[in-house]
Amino acid sequence: MTLKNLHDVYHDQLQDLYSACKQSLDATTELGRAATDKKVSEALIAGTNGISAGMDQLKSICAEHDIDPEGEHCKGMAGLVTEARAHALKADFDNDATRDAVIITQYQRMVHYALAGYGSVVAFANRLNLDEEGAILQKLLDETYDGDRRMTDIGMNGGVNEAAA
């Protein structure tokens, strides 16, 4: 598809973001099952709920533009998911706390990709005067930041990194 203008870029990025969310949802579920720290596990459950809600919102926005939310495959998130599985799920660990620290790391890498995607579509929606969509996407961006901050707090102040040391 030739991207002719910002509308086309916006549509393309909505689809890419939906694909990224779909892939990260599966990986986050797997990370949640592997986590042994209760706070990490609870944060990952909240993360899956947030990702699912975000996908519903993205699907609705795509419907408003008559585009298929599954029209793209996000190769960037595919790579991050592969890395998460390799480093947090398939690697050997001497203890659970170390695995939990790696789970936090890999989850946050996926989240940071989503932050970049949401930030971009918010900017595009606002520039295109799609105020309602911009507000929805901004809320999703803010919630994604909240999830990232929560996971940082768990690692740094919740005892995971200390236990892994």
Side-chain angles (χ1 to χ4, degrees):
M1 168 169 112
T2 301
L3 303 176
K4 300 174 191 165
N5 53 43
L6 193 59
H7 281 279
D8 291 348
V9 174
Y10 178 59
H11 295 168
D12 178 69
Q13 290 304 297
L14 288 169
Q15 291 172 313
D16 189 76
L17 186 55
Y18 184 87
S19 173
C21 289
K22 186 174 181 178
Q23 293 175 67
S24 68
L25 179 63
D26 293 338
T28 301
T29 300
E30 292 173 34
L31 293 173
R33 289 184 186 132
T36 57
D37 182 90
K38 184 178 180 190
K39 291 177 184 175
V40 174
S41 180
E42 289 171 350
L44 291 166
I45 291 168
T48 60
N49 292 337
I51 294 165
S52 292
M55 289 175 64
D56 290 343
Q57 294 289 343
L58 289 169
K59 189 180 279 190
S60 294
I61 291 171
C62 286
E64 290 292 319
H65 295 274
D66 198 31
I67 57 174
D68 179 5
E70 298 196 31
E72 287 285 327
H73 175 73
C74 180
K75 294 177 185 174
M77 185 58 78
L80 291 169
V81 166
T82 298
E83 289 292 304
R85 288 182 174 132
H87 293 284
L89 302 174
K90 295 178 182 174
D92 292 323
F93 295 91
D94 282 340
N95 61 70
D96 291 338
T98 302
R99 180 184 302 273
D100 288 338
V102 173
I103 286 171
I104 290 171
T105 300
Q106 296 304 315
Y107 174 71
Q108 285 190 296
R109 288 175 187 219
M110 292 187 294
V111 168
H112 290 187
Y113 190 91
L115 290 170
Y118 278 122
S120 295
V121 294
V122 166
F124 298 154
N126 290 337
R127 182 67 190 130
L128 295 167
N129 297 316
L130 301 169
D131 298 335
E132 286 182 38
E133 291 176 22
I136 291 167
L137 294 165
Q138 182 64 55
K139 184 176 184 281
L140 294 171
L141 176 62
D142 293 343
E143 290 169 354
T144 304
Y145 269 118
D146 290 343
D148 180 56
R149 289 183 193 107
R150 178 179 180 186
M151 200 60 88
T152 295
D153 186 59
I154 291 168
M156 295 179 65
N157 302 315
V160 172
N161 292 351
E162 182 180 349

